[in-house]
Amino acid sequence: MSELSVNHLLGIKYLNKKDIHLIFETADHFKEVINRPIKKVPSLRDITIANLFFENSTRTKLSFELAEKRLSADVINFSASQSSVKKGETLIDTVNNILSMKVDMVVMRHPNPGAGVFLSQHIDASIINAGDGAHEHPTQALLDSYSIRERLGDVKGKNVVIVGDILHSRVALSNIYALQLQGANVMVCGPKTLLPKYIKDLGVKVETNLRKALNWCDVANMLRVQNERMDISYFPTTREYTQQYGVNKALLNSLNKEIIIMHPGPINRGVEITSDVADSDQAIILDQVQNGVAIRMAVIYLLASKIKH
Ligand code: CP
């Protein structure tokens, strides 16, 4: 039987092409399951999973919880704002206390880059990174590629541009790794101030003109400007950002082809994307969210199958 090359999902950086293929094949099966009248399988009745969220989330948190419940795992949820972290407890102590309650797997979102890797070196449980600061968001990148594959048949050879705040985006880095592993051509586009200096070293094309980027691509993944990670202004005004890097229907209609629009959410309507695009057939934003459950079921199932009881 095929298995993942890793015991944790800390980042796409640690996966290989075969891992991604296996996750997608497994997600295909679970996608079929969640479209049945009874959307549940008994596969993980012997597994307990803790969802540890040290940072806000809507999609990822609910999607993981639903994926775990669809697999019949026992689930506990932890939110840092209502926990003893506020009384000064360390991350390792917090997680070890949770694990002592016979928890097998940890799903963690944390504001600090590398928090998952750090934890994996100090605890004895399988860890899934649900987003660590501006570092990686591996399940988001997997569901993004899976959604491209679903719409276009394959990721290989496709031109994908990631637009916006690349500097503060964990979605961008994980997508770059995932898309390149699958043979896509990747471009980043945004204001120079939001393009990190190291980005060219990752082998991506760099473009500051949105129209040129959109004319090149098959898929545009629009990112939110992450104001919560900024302590200075990276562009003069939001209005000027939108004029240069926002997509609207008139701009898309003026291109030489129809492209697919993606967004990891949450959307800032009228800033990086207008409603006439977000709600159009060109956008696969809600397909991404729907596919997230099947992808997370696949990741949890494959990692759980490596846990020795
Ligand atoms: N895409 C994403 O990570 O959304 P949330 O922050 O709502 O989980």
Side-chain angles (χ1 to χ4, degrees):
M1 200 190 96
S2 301
E3 61 173 29
L4 291 175
S5 66
V6 292
N7 294 325
H8 309 280
L9 180 59
L10 300 173
I12 301 291
K13 188 169 61 180
Y14 305 101
L15 299 183
N16 60 43
K17 207 169 151 180
K18 274 189 186 166
D19 290 326
I20 293 188
H21 186 71
L22 178 60
I23 292 167
F24 285 2
E25 264 191 345
T26 313
D28 285 343
H29 167 69
F30 287 129
K31 182 148 183 174
E32 191 260 312
V33 168
I34 57 183
N35 281 310
R36 290 180 197 159
I38 296 172
K39 303 171 176 60
K40 231 173 147 156
V41 286
S43 316
L44 299 192
R45 276 191 304 205
D46 56 342
I47 293 285
T48 303
I49 304 175
N51 298 317
L52 313 184
F53 279 72
F54 293 85
E55 199 186 65
N56 294 345
S57 169
T58 298
R59 279 146 292 272
T60 313
K61 188 168 186 287
L62 293 176
S63 179
F64 267 112
E65 187 173 344
L66 199 55
E68 291 151 5
K69 289 179 171 169
R70 299 273 193 248
L71 290 165
S72 303
D74 286 326
V75 179
I76 54 172
N77 289 306
F78 164 96
S79 166
S81 59
Q82 294 155 7
S83 75
S84 290
V85 168
K86 293 278 170 212
K87 302 173 195 163
E89 193 169 35
T90 66
L91 177 62
I92 294 174
D93 280 342
T94 300
V95 177
N96 270 330
N97 275 268
I98 292 167
L99 293 181
S100 71
M101 299 178 212
K102 302 287 179 200
V103 167
D104 305 286
M105 191 180 283
V106 169
V107 173
M108 185 172 76
R109 169 165 289 190
H110 202 281
N112 295 345
V117 174
F118 171 75
L119 200 60
S120 71
Q121 291 159 352
H122 292 93
I123 67 161
D124 185 22
S126 184
I127 299 172
I128 300 177
N129 177 7
D132 60 333
H135 180 222
E136 280 229 37
H137 192 351
T139 54
Q140 179 69 46
L142 289 167
L143 72 88
D144 288 345
S145 284
Y146 186 82
S147 302
I148 294 172
R149 168 185 175 265
E150 186 175 71
R151 182 59 81 100
L152 296 180
D154 202 351
V155 176
K156 191 173 176 182
K158 299 296 181 295
N159 292 346
V160 182
V161 63
I162 307 169
V163 180
D165 182 2
I166 311 298
L167 183 66
H168 300 100
S169 175
R170 52 193 173 215
V171 174
L173 191 59
S174 287
N175 260 277
I176 290 168
Y177 289 139
L179 291 164
Q180 287 181 337
L181 265 181
Q182 296 165 88
N185 309 305
V186 187
M187 176 186 281
V188 294
C189 176
K192 270 195 179 135
T193 49
L194 290 175
L195 299 173
K197 288 197 171 54
Y198 64 77
I199 202 76
K200 271 195 175 149
D201 299 339
L202 297 178
V204 298
K205 295 177 191 296
V206 180
E207 178 59 70
T208 52
N209 182 303
L210 180 61
R211 177 177 287 281
K212 282 187 187 165
L214 296 179
N215 268 322
W216 170 84
C217 75
D218 302 302
V219 179
N221 196 350
M222 305 303 299
L223 302 181
R224 182 176 63 89
V225 174
Q226 304 204 17
N227 289 312
E228 72 276 20
R229 297 194 203 284
M230 296 181 185
D231 44 18
I232 56 164
S233 260
Y234 286 79
F235 42 83
T237 61
T238 301
R239 200 162 131 224
E240 282 157 302
Y241 177 86
T242 300
Q243 277 169 358
Q244 290 202 43
Y245 294 103
V247 288
N248 57 55
K249 202 66 180 165
L251 174 59
L252 293 185
N253 288 344
S254 72
L255 302 178
N256 54 15
K257 59 182 171 181
E258 184 162 311
I259 62 169
I260 290 169
I261 300 294
M262 302 176 72
H263 195 305
I267 292 174
N268 279 331
R269 285 177 186 262
V271 180
E272 70 274 7
I273 189 168
T274 50
S275 287
D276 56 3
V277 175
D279 302 331
S280 73
D281 289 343
Q282 265 177 279
I284 59 168
I285 299 167
L286 293 180
D287 296 342
Q288 291 170 256
V289 177
Q290 191 183 92
N291 287 334
V293 178
I295 283 290
R296 290 178 174 118
M297 285 175 82
V299 168
I300 293 164
Y301 175 83
L302 290 166
L303 288 176
S305 68
K306 300 190 82 177
I307 294 172
K308 312 220 175 355
H309 285 285

